[in-house]
Amino acid sequence: MISLDFNFNILTRDLSHYLENQVKVGLFGSGVGLSLVLGFSAAYTCYYLISVAKKPQLVSGGKKFYHFLKEQCPVVSETYYPTFWCWESRIQTLLRPFVTAKPGVVYRNELIKAADGGQISVDWFDNDDSLAFPDPATRPTVLLLPGLTGTSRESYILHMVQQSRDLGYRMMLANYLGRKGRETCLKGVIVFSAGWDVFECSASLEKPLDRFLFNSYLTSCLQASVHRHRPVLEQCYDIDHVMKAKTIREFDERFTSIMFGYPTNDDYYRDASPVHKLESVQVPMLCLNAADDVFSPSHAIPVEAVKQNPHLALLITCHGGHIGFLEGLWPRQSTYMDRVFKQYAKAVIEQGGGLNDLSL
């Protein structure tokens, strides 16, 4: 028996392709004929599809990486059809955690003591039932690094764990990754909704509506993390001042930049902006961004910088929000982002030989 979710997705895509290829109606064209055949909702869907559904833009610094993605990850060439009733970026961002299902995942936690006395918490999904890779010694490992305030229990993380489980891989989740260059054991990297320029991200999130919807909430999450460790932290920092911060920028000025020893918050933001490190990337890295992501405004997406490094590729959709990319009429299961992740992970791990010598 095919699930209802699957039927909805198939229906949406079939209708999308029909309207796109057979019914040539402009954004302001008449919908009367469509109404007679498909009903009012189909006519509305037609307007929606033609106005927002477009193929993503794929940019790469080298032809070899570009052709590898085209051949091994066909999703990069597909038209992305955002869910018609929540295609707007803020709604996609806000609804993703509530609309998508949370797959059941049981982790094995490991605490690693660092040389400076700190500790790193790692959640493992061992996938001991893997049929494709039954031997743990040869089972591929996917490392996931959640974003700001993220944990291994986030909806988007659980979906990627599920995708990796289907492929037979094990998962490792942590909030720390050392910088090793070519000596790293990583075969490939994929990044979702990166905030490329922290200055631009902060400015975008400080606009009135985005400050209300996102900035204040994330600031309170960061403050909650500080509060949990207040007895220790208040010995070194003015925690009362930190707890009065109203924005992420104020929180970073009063706590984060000071904790990491930066002379000013601007120095911290400059160092924390990935856009300044792209030329140093030496591992094949695919980056997915939505042009309407308020966390990472489109004018700050480093298209030209990506073109200068053969190890980089950038996939840009017109819509999708921040860690959204919902698709289908009722997007409970896989999203566009999940499909990009699954195809890229499989391609890198099982067809990775095609990524050798990308600079040639």
Side-chain angles (χ1 to χ4, degrees):
M1 178 178 178
I2 299 176
S3 70
L4 189 60
D5 287 332
F6 180 76
N7 279 331
F8 273 144
N9 284 317
I10 294 297
L11 173 63
T12 302
R13 291 183 191 175
D14 287 349
L15 179 60
S16 300
H17 288 300
Y18 171 79
L19 291 173
E20 187 178 52
N21 297 317
Q22 302 297 329
V23 184
K24 304 299 182 181
V25 181
L27 179 60
F28 299 104
S30 171
V32 176
L34 290 176
S35 298
L36 292 174
V37 178
L38 300 172
F40 175 78
S41 61
Y44 173 80
T45 303
C46 176
Y47 288 123
Y48 151 77
L49 290 171
I50 293 174
S51 62
V52 306
K54 295 180 180 178
K55 287 188 176 182
Q57 177 187 4
L58 179 63
V59 178
S60 179
K63 292 183 178 179
K64 191 171 184 179
F65 196 12
Y66 180 88
H67 290 303
F68 176 86
L69 292 170
K70 285 283 190 176
E71 294 172 4
Q72 302 297 333
C73 305
V75 67
V76 304
S77 300
E78 293 180 12
T79 299
Y80 167 53
Y81 299 94
T83 298
F84 77 91
W85 51 268
C86 67
W87 61 269
E88 200 276 333
S89 64
R90 296 171 184 84
I91 300 177
Q92 281 247 351
T93 303
L94 290 169
L95 290 187
R96 160 91 192 226
F98 303 102
V99 173
T100 55
K102 284 194 173 185
V105 175
V106 178
Y107 294 115
R108 172 177 60 86
N109 184 258
E110 178 182 4
L111 290 178
I112 302 174
K113 292 185 178 180
D116 62 359
Q119 62 183 18
I120 303 168
S121 178
V122 177
D123 282 338
W124 287 92
F125 177 73
D126 295 311
N127 204 5
D128 290 329
D129 296 327
S130 172
L131 297 178
F133 301 93
D135 183 0
T138 61
R139 189 176 303 148
T141 300
V142 177
L143 171 64
L144 293 182
L145 303 176
L148 183 68
T149 74
T151 72
S152 59
R153 292 295 173 184
E154 305 299 330
S155 172
Y156 70 94
I157 292 293
L158 293 174
H159 275 262
M160 284 189 277
V161 173
Q162 183 181 49
Q163 301 291 338
S164 298
R165 174 169 52 194
D166 294 342
L167 292 171
Y169 308 155
R170 69 160 64 91
M171 307 291 296
M172 174 184 177
L173 296 103
N175 281 321
Y176 171 85
L177 176 64
R179 185 170 57 186
K180 293 289 186 179
R182 290 185 180 274
E183 297 178 3
T184 181
C185 60
L186 297 176
K187 292 184 177 181
V189 176
I190 185 165
V191 180
F192 298 110
S193 301
W196 294 106
D197 188 318
V198 182
F199 292 100
E200 296 294 339
C201 295
S202 297
S204 179
L205 288 173
E206 286 168 0
K207 295 178 180 178
L209 180 58
D210 298 323
R211 176 170 175 167
F212 171 74
L213 291 176
F214 305 110
N215 204 324
S216 297
Y217 171 73
L218 288 174
T219 302
S220 65
C221 289
L222 292 169
Q223 289 170 326
S225 297
V226 169
H227 182 71
R228 285 197 298 269
H229 305 283
R230 180 166 187 149
V232 175
L233 294 174
E234 65 184 359
Q235 300 176 28
C236 304
Y237 310 100
D238 186 350
I239 301 302
D240 287 335
H241 190 50
V242 173
M243 300 304 288
K244 293 178 182 178
K246 300 299 182 182
T247 65
I248 295 175
R249 189 193 298 268
E250 289 182 358
F251 177 88
D252 289 335
E253 289 172 345
R254 301 175 186 190
F255 182 75
T256 315
S257 60
I258 298 173
M259 181 179 66
F260 286 113
Y262 284 94
T264 68
N265 194 60
D266 283 357
D267 292 311
Y268 165 56
Y269 275 11
R270 192 172 297 108
D271 205 26
S273 297
V275 66
H276 302 306
K277 300 178 174 63
L278 290 179
E279 63 181 14
S280 302
V281 174
Q282 300 176 49
V283 175
M285 186 167 82
L286 172 63
C287 310
L288 174 63
N289 277 88
D292 63 356
D293 184 352
V294 298
F295 283 70
S296 186
S298 59
H299 65 268
I301 297 177
V303 175
E304 294 305 317
V306 167
K307 291 180 179 179
Q308 306 305 313
N309 188 333
H311 297 95
L312 295 175
L314 185 60
L315 187 63
I316 307 173
T317 60
C318 290
H319 300 275
H322 185 75
I323 312 292
F325 302 99
L326 300 175
E327 60 183 356
L329 293 181
W330 184 241
R332 288 283 292 166
Q333 304 303 324
S334 177
T335 67
Y336 180 79
M337 186 180 90
D338 297 327
R339 294 193 293 121
V340 172
F341 167 79
K342 186 174 184 178
Q343 290 187 17
Y344 183 71
K346 181 179 176 64
V348 168
I349 291 175
E350 301 181 22
Q351 305 293 331
L355 294 174
N356 293 334
D357 301 319
L358 288 178
S359 58
L360 298 180

